[in-house]
Amino acid sequence: MGVAADIIIIVIAALIGALIAQKIKQPLILGYILAGIVVGPNTGGVTIGDIHEIELLAEIGVALLLFALGLEFSLKELKPVRNIALFGTPVQILLTIVFGFFIGRYLGLSTTHAIWLGALISLSSTMVTLKTLMSRGLVGTLSSRVMIGMLIVQDLAVIPMMIILPQLSNPESGLPLLGIAIIKSAVFLGLMFYLGRKILPWLLVHVANWNSRELFILSITAIGLGVGYATYLFGLSFAFGAFVAGMVLSDSDYGHQALSEIVPLRDIFGLLFFTSVGMLLDPAYLFENWAKIVSLVIVISVFKGTIFSVLAILFRYINIVPIAVGFGLFQVGEFTFVLARLGLETKGIDQNLYSLVLAVSVLTMMLTPLASAMTAPLYKLKKRLFQYEPLQTDNIPDTGLKDHVLIVGGGRVGQHIAQILSQLNLPFVIIEFNHKQMLECKAAKYPVIYGDMTQETVIEVSQLHTARLLIITTPSVVIAQSIVEQALRIRAELHIIVRATGIDHARSLYEKGVYVAVLPEMEAGLEIARQSLLHLGFPVSVIQQYTDMVRQKTYTPIYQSSDDYQLLTKLDNIKNILEISWVTLMPGSNLISKSIKEAAVRTRTGASVVGILQGKLFHSNPNIDYAFQEGDLVAVVGNQEERNEFKKIAGV
């Protein structure tokens, strides 16, 4: 079966590796890389027949990942990190090349080989970093955008490296080629951002009008890979072209839909990339040279991580960003494989240096998810040991915060709550740790604090001790419980409303002392059911009784074995005594054209009219002179007997 059999073997091996990684709570990419090592040509057993073909397919995975990245990030979003990307990244590359040169000379390499070593280790892995950020849900944070901006510039730097490095023995001939590459890049970018922004969105509009999902998926795949291939024919990077195509489409009306459709295809081809990385690692070579390889992994990782962190600090990024960038970009990247293969073909490096660099690259890639997971714990340790840094705040009132509502989480739910509070002129502040969502709150002119509500610094700035209410919208169980514990430790009487993920979570929150725990999935399901029943013509009173019954059955277990359960039962009995009924005045009703006063509703029935829905207009507590009309939906309050009497005189 040829390459088809190889793909089947890879997919099955990757599935097994992913299941193992998931079982031990590790990122799936580690499972993919280990699967590649197992089915690679250096371990025996079931092996891949043609690694070169798999590597070619893996290049599609890199291109699709960058295409999806371009769809998710626009140029506007990268503006805040343009300085460190455009000026900091070249500094990092040059310093790493110099560092690698001295390491090479120390290892006894020639001058040319030492320069090659420095260049090869200067690049970080776009693929591994992005996959790690996605798996941890960190795409969109400020630190992720700093990393992505720097990775983009690194990927662009591959082009001049591919021109200059093979010409080290004859530098004069490399300069004209570099100039040509710069001109080509400028022409390509100009065409894409001028013509591409007009042609590609126009094409998607016409495809979408045919309402064919299959054709839409095919179109966006063809755009991403087609533009990438055109870029390759133009003499530039295939993956770079795909990234630019994604950025061009990101600002169109169909950018989000294109991203959602391309993600499954991206993940499948990305799987091929990570397994191909594992195939490159020779366990025998690793065993024979383990001391040298491990030493290089440690030295390179520490140096690169430090350089990235220092650059982040120099460009005035604070809080968690320097730590996250250092632990996210320390590895040696996938474009190292491309450069190393070029060096081998042009005799710029020998087989030993090729194997050494590949081993270091694969090992650092495998360490990336584990190292990245250490960012948050190290940041918390730093906050405890050192004086805290100033927090970023926006739109905070000059008078400060007092008697305000604290909203932890500036996502869709938090922003919706903020919108309502703004309309009611109630003071509030949003606490948000995701930089992208923080910027959204800032753009909406909401008062916002950029930080983690579990940290004492943020708690102090948010003025928790003077807040009227704390609302926690985060879906994370661990984070919500941590915030609740700290808040109640500071103010035991503070009312807290929390978003709960289930009955058990809600019960544990109530035990900790929260005021209300809301189950959003249940409430959403109830609203969908209510709208459906209204559409099917069920009476409003029946629908209300149904929703009350569901809420009682759902929330009652939360209060079991609690003193509050008795209160809940009493309140439910009161509801049955005094309840609202909705009555529609049908043609021929005795009340039509009569005012509330003339009908003597209260005198004759004992019930009170508290609202009337007339078409789309709702009259709350209508005046006694209001005249009933055909089709009015009348809300009356009273006990069961009183409401039944009203229905009689209404002719229902």
Side-chain angles (χ1 to χ4, degrees):
M1 292 177 65
V3 70
D6 291 341
I7 293 175
I8 293 171
I9 293 173
I10 288 173
V11 171
I12 295 175
L15 173 61
I16 296 173
L19 291 174
I20 295 173
Q22 184 71 24
K23 187 68 176 178
I24 60 177
K25 298 182 179 180
Q26 296 300 318
L28 298 186
I29 59 175
L30 290 181
Y32 298 155
I33 294 175
L34 291 174
I37 296 174
V38 172
V39 301
N42 303 306
T43 53
V46 179
T47 58
I48 299 301
D50 194 340
I51 293 180
H52 181 65
E53 292 291 335
I54 299 300
E55 289 176 344
L56 294 178
L57 290 173
E59 290 183 19
I60 297 178
V62 178
L64 289 176
L65 180 79
L66 289 178
F67 178 55
L69 174 66
L71 286 169
E72 196 163 359
F73 286 90
S74 66
L75 285 173
K76 295 178 182 178
E77 292 178 319
L78 292 176
K79 281 183 180 179
V81 301
R82 64 181 180 275
N83 290 334
I84 190 172
L86 295 176
F87 302 108
T89 308
V91 172
Q92 172 268 316
I93 292 175
L94 290 175
L95 289 176
T96 309
I97 290 175
V98 172
F99 178 72
F101 172 79
F102 284 111
I103 290 179
R105 296 299 290 166
Y106 176 79
L107 294 176
L109 300 179
S110 65
T111 300
T112 301
H113 284 185
I115 295 175
W116 269 93
L117 175 62
L120 291 172
I121 67 172
S122 68
L123 303 173
S124 301
S125 175
T126 303
M127 193 78 170
V128 172
T129 302
L130 287 178
K131 198 69 176 178
T132 302
L133 291 171
M134 291 173 185
S135 65
R136 298 183 61 212
L138 297 177
V139 174
T141 61
L142 178 59
S143 56
S144 73
R145 287 199 280 176
V146 171
M147 286 186 260
I148 290 167
M150 300 186 81
L151 287 168
I152 291 169
V153 176
Q154 280 191 356
D155 293 345
L156 290 174
V158 173
I159 300 168
M161 285 185 182
M162 294 179 70
I163 297 171
I164 295 173
L165 290 175
Q167 306 296 330
L168 286 177
S169 57
N170 186 17
E172 291 81 7
S173 62
L175 291 177
L177 293 175
L178 178 60
I180 293 172
I182 293 174
I183 294 173
K184 286 182 177 180
S185 299
V187 172
F188 169 73
L189 290 173
L191 289 173
M192 282 299 297
F193 285 104
Y194 181 71
L195 295 178
R197 279 189 168 181
K198 297 179 179 180
I199 296 174
L200 297 183
W202 173 84
L203 176 62
L204 280 186
V205 168
H206 284 272
V207 171
N209 287 336
W210 285 323
N211 294 319
S212 172
R213 183 180 181 186
E214 183 178 354
L215 188 59
F216 186 81
I217 296 173
L218 180 61
S219 298
I220 59 175
T221 306
I223 288 173
L225 298 181
V227 172
Y229 184 64
T231 313
Y232 169 76
L233 295 178
F234 202 59
L236 301 175
S237 167
F238 174 45
F240 171 63
F243 172 76
V244 174
M247 290 192 72
V248 168
L249 289 176
S250 66
D251 293 329
S252 71
D253 295 335
Y254 298 95
H256 294 293
Q257 182 63 27
L259 177 62
S260 63
E261 299 291 1
I262 204 68
V263 164
L265 193 63
R266 175 202 69 188
D267 291 342
I268 292 297
F269 278 95
L271 176 152
L272 295 177
F273 167 78
F274 287 110
T275 51
S276 68
V277 168
M279 293 176 200
L280 296 172
L281 190 62
D282 184 354
Y285 177 83
L286 185 64
F287 180 76
E288 293 173 3
N289 301 274
W290 70 269
K292 181 191 295 185
I293 294 171
V294 171
S295 299
L296 279 177
V297 167
I298 295 173
V299 171
I300 292 171
S301 299
V302 171
F303 178 82
K304 287 187 68 176
T306 303
I307 286 294
F308 280 112
S309 296
V310 170
L311 284 171
I313 294 172
L314 291 176
F315 280 87
R316 299 183 178 179
Y317 291 97
I318 59 174
N319 297 320
I320 199 172
V321 176
I323 299 175
V325 172
F327 277 89
L329 298 180
F330 71 89
Q331 75 288 125
V332 180
E334 60 272 359
F335 278 112
T336 296
F337 307 149
V338 178
L339 283 176
R341 192 179 295 118
L342 177 65
L344 203 60
E345 293 172 355
T346 59
K347 295 182 171 40
I349 61 175
D350 56 22
Q351 184 63 46
N352 286 332
L353 182 55
Y354 178 80
S355 299
L356 179 65
V357 170
L358 291 188
V360 170
S361 179
V362 173
L363 287 178
T364 54
M365 284 184 178
M366 293 178 67
L367 289 173
T368 299
L370 303 176
S372 181
M374 295 298 296
T375 300
L378 285 175
Y379 176 61
K380 291 181 179 179
L381 178 63
K382 173 192 170 187
K383 299 287 282 186
R384 283 198 294 265
L385 296 179
F386 301 100
Q387 184 179 4
Y388 68 82
E389 298 152 302
L391 292 172
Q392 181 178 350
T393 62
D394 288 284
N395 305 316
I396 303 296
D398 296 334
T399 56
L401 298 170
K402 188 176 181 181
D403 292 332
H404 57 293
V405 177
L406 280 176
I407 305 173
V408 180
R412 289 189 298 270
V413 176
Q415 291 183 40
H416 184 67
I417 297 170
Q419 181 183 7
I420 296 172
L421 295 179
S422 295
Q423 294 172 352
L424 296 174
N425 293 320
L426 293 174
F428 68 92
V429 65
I430 298 173
I431 314 295
E432 179 52 65
F433 194 48
N434 182 302
H435 194 264
K436 180 180 179 181
Q437 292 178 349
M438 188 276 291
L439 291 177
E440 291 177 357
C441 296
K442 178 182 176 182
K445 304 298 182 183
Y446 298 142
V448 60
I449 298 172
Y450 177 50
D452 182 357
M453 192 58 187
T454 62
Q455 300 298 318
E456 293 181 4
T457 307
V458 181
I459 293 174
E460 181 181 345
V461 175
S462 68
Q463 297 293 306
L464 178 69
H465 62 283
T466 64
R468 296 172 60 185
L469 179 67
L470 172 61
I471 302 174
I472 304 173
T473 67
T474 175
S476 171
V477 175
V478 176
I479 294 176
Q481 290 183 337
S482 177
I483 295 172
V484 167
E485 290 173 358
Q486 294 195 53
L488 292 178
R489 187 163 55 246
I490 296 171
R491 283 188 63 194
E493 75 283 3
L494 179 65
H495 282 186
I496 304 176
I497 299 176
V498 190
R499 174 180 177 179
T501 58
I503 294 295
D504 292 336
H505 183 206
R507 184 184 292 114
S508 67
L509 289 170
Y510 276 109
E511 290 173 354
K512 292 182 185 298
V514 303
Y515 180 62
V516 173
V518 179
L519 301 172
E521 288 79 8
M522 191 274 289
E523 295 294 341
L526 271 183
E527 179 60 21
I528 293 172
R530 192 180 74 85
Q531 294 292 340
S532 301
L533 294 174
L534 284 172
H535 180 74
L536 295 173
F538 279 77
V540 174
S541 58
V542 174
I543 299 173
Q544 187 63 42
Q545 290 171 4
Y546 166 75
T547 55
D548 287 344
M549 178 188 66
V550 172
R551 282 195 176 93
Q552 182 181 356
K553 288 183 178 179
T554 303
Y555 285 108
T556 293
I558 299 173
Y559 295 95
Q560 286 178 343
S561 303
S562 170
D563 294 337
D564 290 336
Y565 181 64
Q566 298 299 323
L567 175 61
L568 180 70
T569 304
K570 292 177 182 178
L571 290 175
D572 186 61
N573 291 335
I574 293 172
K575 176 184 72 65
N576 291 329
I577 295 172
L578 193 65
E579 193 175 47
I580 293 178
S581 288
W582 291 86
V583 179
T584 303
L585 299 185
M586 306 302 292
S589 172
N590 295 327
L591 294 180
I592 293 176
S593 300
K594 291 183 179 180
S595 68
I596 298 176
K597 181 178 181 180
E598 292 172 342
V601 173
R602 183 64 183 271
T603 303
R604 295 171 62 186
T605 68
S608 298
V609 177
V610 295
I612 298 175
L613 184 62
Q614 185 185 59
K616 295 184 178 181
L617 182 63
F618 180 71
H619 301 274
S620 177
N621 294 318
N623 190 281
I624 59 174
D625 295 325
Y626 177 85
F628 292 110
Q629 299 180 30
E630 180 182 324
D632 279 356
L633 188 59
V634 183
V636 291
V637 64
N639 59 34
Q640 185 72 42
E641 182 181 349
E642 291 168 343
R643 287 181 278 118
N644 288 338
E645 284 297 321
F646 178 82
K647 291 177 182 179
K648 289 180 182 178
I649 69 170
V652 177

